[in-house]
Amino acid sequence: MTSLPQAQAAPTPAAGVSASSPAPVAEDWTPPLSTRGRWIVDADGDRFKLRSGNWHGASGTWNGSGDTEDDANHHAGENSGRIPLGLDRAPMAEIIAGFQEIGINSVRLPFSNEMVHDTRPVTDDAVAANPALRGRTPLQVYDAVVRALTGAGLAVILNNHTNTTRWCCGVDGNERWNASRSTAEWEEDWLFMARRYRDNRRVVGADLYNEVRRSVWDDPNWGLGDDHDWFAASQRVGDRILLEANPDLLIVVEGINWTGIPVDGLPHERPTLEPARRLSHTLVDSGKLVYAAHFYDYTGPRHSGATGIGETSDPRYRDLSPDELVAVLNRQAFFVAAEQDRHFTAPVWISEFGVGGRAETAAKPRAWFENVVDHLVRTDADFAFWPLVGWHENRGGNGWALLHWDAAGHRMGVYDGDDWRAPAWRRLVEAPGRTGPVPRAAEWSQLSPDHGDFVASRRMRALPDFDSGARKAVCPDGQRLLGLAHTGNRGLCSDVTAANLGGPALGHEVVRDERHVRPGGDWASGYTKLQCADGQFLAGYSVRGAAVSAALCVTARPGTLGTGGRTVWFDRGDARGTAPKGGDFAYGRYKGQCGDGEYAAGIAYTGRIGSARTPDALYCRPLA
């Protein structure tokens, strides 16, 4: 693999192919995309449902042993030639027309990190049906595919599927984002790809990494702060993409696909998105986070999907009754979209699901597919079928794809009359669902300076460090601090009721003492109070170890903040009011929270013997 020291050194698109703007098409949705609560919306605020499919191949089809040119050494005998599958058998325009025919509006387009740097031209055979692509590198072919898809009006989600260009997903050197390359290299590859297509508004998303899972020796985790921390890695690169490369992209974070050793009697499971209930992402731009999960009949909540080595006695998803399946799907993923006004509330994209077609005669996989489609319809969920394109010979072959081409270029599609999946697929893509304008939803964001700074404010990131040496937590711009945990350093932000309180000058003050506590206004007698001045609200804080270090107070627009106030104590139990919004932002800890119609204006703590100077109370004042 050839090294690429700088993004600008990558191969440029060949003549006639641009990585930038798509060809003009009739607009039926307006990019870019963003989110409002559990919904994805376009730039006009109208719901945009991801009715997607996966066009795989550029991430690799080679199984990892033998001659890479021999089809027999590729998954299901389908050799993609390091580019999206099928370009040897059908013109690109015909393939894309097929996508539109079966009702999709978006494509998840996998790539490998190796593809980004691969300077070897594709073989003539790999692009036999698209001779204009001869002599191009895999990245240049990827450029052409992106341009053609977006030129046809389809949305494209870039998906970093693998490190190396080979089939996924076992113990194969592609288990983590940093399994075969460093985290720094992975981040730079993402910045390069996000910048490469930033002028193409229909490139709408960055799916950060596919099916993060255990390697031979180590598990990924969600929040431990080490080199295997998927939460921290995805949080960091998502912010970097928005800040340094393309602020318009949706940031898609998949759950953890597997932890533990798949042996009966040893711990093992498929966590998927369950960890997000306790620790969720807060990006520097609200309205850009999408969570994703994958489900196949042959895997299970504690089943790796293996047969033989790695197979356990745990049930697969296809073994569950319809009610059991729905309960598991909701627990593992769908809760993120179903539960509103939580710190984790976001759209959930089932970015991979699928089942064999004509050759799949077993009752359980067929029933599983029908049941999953029913649940996708019932929940009005965003989805992406795996895969869109496959090979066939005499109407036989792998059979999983919705569209197949044979070596002579003859197409076999899901609607050709003999594919049992057709009624369910039609039911899915034609299902009624929410359309039209989606009202803006209150944002609820978790702050988690567990292992370092957690500054979710673009403005504060651009300014000097406000408390050097401390761990800092700052709400996204436009939100205010509403909750704090007694221990553990977690916080809760929101724009509920008041939206953006920040004044035009956006001034701020770092408060480390009681300078703004007025005589007769002691709201926490005997405690040290870090109080904002009148006309300011709390937007962040800093800690040293467990101890409060400083309060970050931001100047509000005139007339938005009320006076008076109340003390909310949470040193001996939860104090979040009745039916508090935002969810449990500090699981297992005492928490205090101001009301929806309030703002936090102060933090109190004590340095008495036995105290760790952790937050004990909030000063909650009414909005004007």
Side-chain angles (χ1 to χ4, degrees):
M1 184 172 74
T2 303
S3 175
L4 181 70
Q6 295 181 352
Q8 290 78 5
T12 57
V17 175
S18 170
S20 298
S21 301
V25 295
E27 293 272 346
D28 58 359
W29 59 280
T30 307
L33 301 182
S34 58
T35 69
R36 292 183 178 179
R38 65 134 294 180
W39 308 103
I40 296 171
V41 298
D42 72 0
D44 297 324
D46 292 328
R47 197 270 176 100
F48 184 88
K49 182 175 182 175
L50 291 177
R51 299 191 310 273
S52 318
N54 288 269
W55 191 1
H56 76 296
S59 56
T61 52
W62 180 54
N63 282 328
S65 62
D67 183 0
T68 58
E69 300 303 317
D70 187 345
D71 294 350
N73 297 323
H74 290 254
H75 177 74
E78 297 178 341
N79 182 355
S80 72
R82 297 176 287 139
I83 56 178
L85 189 69
L87 297 178
D88 58 332
R89 301 188 167 210
M92 195 186 306
E94 178 184 327
I95 295 174
I96 293 170
F99 297 166
Q100 295 173 310
E101 178 186 324
I102 62 174
I104 68 170
N105 62 9
S106 44
V107 171
R108 181 176 183 250
L109 195 62
F111 69 89
S112 72
N113 297 97
E114 184 178 1
M115 184 208 78
V116 175
H117 304 266
D118 191 346
T119 59
R120 297 170 297 155
V122 301
T123 65
D124 289 352
D125 286 347
V127 292
N130 293 270
L133 300 178
R134 287 178 180 170
R136 299 186 186 178
T137 66
L139 180 57
Q140 290 171 339
V141 174
Y142 194 91
D143 289 340
V145 169
V146 169
R147 175 174 169 80
L149 288 166
T150 57
L154 296 168
V156 169
I157 298 91
L158 310 174
N159 164 233
N160 186 194
H161 207 73
T162 52
N163 289 175
T164 61
T165 308
R166 61 169 291 183
W167 183 254
C168 176
C169 291
V171 182
D172 54 10
N174 291 310
E175 300 88 351
R176 295 188 311 278
W177 63 99
N178 56 3
S180 297
R181 61 196 297 105
S182 70
T183 296
E185 290 171 323
W186 174 68
E187 290 183 2
E188 290 305 312
D189 283 351
W190 255 124
L191 295 179
F192 168 74
M193 291 294 279
R195 290 170 181 147
R196 190 170 183 85
Y197 304 108
R198 66 183 164 193
D199 294 330
N200 187 335
R201 304 292 296 283
R202 293 185 187 273
V203 176
V204 299
D207 184 346
L208 300 180
Y209 202 72
N210 183 72
E211 296 191 4
V212 174
R213 59 199 182 277
R214 182 184 175 87
S215 63
V216 174
W217 301 112
D218 297 296
D219 282 329
N221 67 79
W222 192 281
L224 295 185
D226 60 16
D227 194 41
H228 296 170
D229 185 346
W230 174 230
F231 169 80
S234 52
Q235 172 75 41
R236 175 180 163 83
V237 79
D239 281 341
R240 290 197 68 191
I241 288 169
L242 294 171
L243 288 166
E244 302 175 41
N246 188 345
D248 288 338
L249 292 179
L250 295 174
I251 302 300
V252 182
V253 179
E254 297 185 25
I256 291 179
N257 196 57
W258 187 259
T259 61
I261 301 173
V263 174
D264 285 338
L266 295 178
H268 54 264
E269 64 173 332
R270 189 179 304 280
T272 319
L273 291 173
E274 291 184 71
R277 182 177 289 280
R278 298 186 181 182
L279 178 60
S280 64
H281 294 72
T282 297
L283 298 172
V284 291
D285 292 328
S286 299
K288 287 298 180 181
L289 174 67
V290 175
Y291 281 118
H294 297 173
F295 294 103
Y296 291 102
D297 75 282
Y298 57 87
T299 60
R302 298 185 67 246
H303 201 299
S304 70
T307 56
I309 297 175
E311 184 172 12
T312 64
S313 59
D314 305 292
R316 303 172 191 260
Y317 291 114
R318 67 188 179 212
D319 298 323
L320 304 177
S321 71
D323 287 346
E324 290 171 334
L325 178 62
V326 165
V328 168
L329 294 176
N330 289 342
R331 186 188 80 229
Q332 293 195 300
F334 286 77
F335 76 91
V336 173
E339 298 181 30
Q340 298 301 293
D341 290 315
R342 303 290 191 268
H343 62 81
F344 53 75
T345 302
V348 171
W349 186 32
I350 306 304
S351 57
E352 282 189 30
F353 77 107
V355 70
R358 292 160 178 82
E360 180 56 82
T361 59
K364 282 188 174 183
R366 287 191 171 204
W368 170 88
F369 184 68
E370 296 282 356
N371 291 331
V372 165
V373 166
D374 285 345
H375 199 53
L376 292 171
V377 171
R378 183 185 305 118
T379 56
D380 197 7
D382 301 87
F383 60 86
F385 188 89
W386 181 283
L388 286 172
V389 177
W391 290 4
H392 83 94
E393 294 301 331
N394 298 318
R395 305 186 74 79
N398 180 19
W400 273 62
L402 297 177
L403 301 169
H404 298 81
W405 280 265
D406 69 12
H410 300 128
R411 197 190 80 172
M412 177 179 71
V414 67
Y415 290 150
D416 283 356
D418 60 345
D419 192 325
W420 68 270
R421 301 170 299 177
W425 177 253
R426 189 181 298 278
R427 186 167 80 253
L428 178 59
V429 295
E430 296 179 358
R434 180 164 191 163
T435 60
V438 176
R440 294 189 181 277
E443 299 280 352
W444 294 90
S445 304
Q446 183 184 46
L447 298 180
S448 53
D450 304 13
H451 307 289
D453 286 354
F454 201 93
V455 178
S457 162
R458 276 180 172 265
R459 176 177 173 273
M460 294 307 300
R461 282 179 177 237
L463 295 174
D465 189 334
F466 72 84
D467 193 358
S468 180
R471 303 195 313 282
K472 292 158 286 292
V474 184
C475 298
D477 295 332
Q479 297 185 32
R480 65 191 187 275
L481 189 71
L482 277 184
L484 274 179
H486 176 55
T487 57
N489 305 129
R490 298 278 177 88
L492 180 69
C493 307
S494 185
D495 61 356
V496 65
T497 305
N500 189 351
L501 293 173
L506 287 177
H508 73 271
E509 180 182 8
V510 180
V511 176
R512 297 184 176 86
D513 54 34
E514 297 189 347
R515 70 188 74 173
H516 296 306
V517 180
R518 293 181 176 182
D522 189 344
W523 49 272
S525 179
Y527 286 71
T528 301
K529 293 164 285 293
L530 307 182
Q531 181 178 330
C532 299
D534 290 348
Q536 296 177 340
F537 62 92
L538 272 172
Y541 54 95
S542 57
V543 296
R544 297 176 186 271
V548 178
S549 176
L552 179 68
C553 300
V554 174
T555 303
R557 298 192 313 274
T560 58
L561 303 184
T563 56
R566 66 188 179 102
T567 304
V568 175
W569 292 97
F570 51 96
D571 54 335
R572 294 180 177 85
D574 266 12
R576 294 189 292 151
T578 58
K581 297 176 184 176
D584 192 339
F585 62 91
Y587 185 82
R589 313 277 184 167
Y590 296 154
K591 294 166 285 291
Q593 185 170 327
C594 299
D596 293 356
E598 295 179 317
Y599 66 98
I603 305 168
Y605 66 88
T606 180
R608 296 169 184 164
I609 295 174
S611 171
R613 292 168 43 108
T614 61
D616 293 310
L618 280 173
Y619 186 36
C620 298
R621 310 184 81 175
L623 297 167

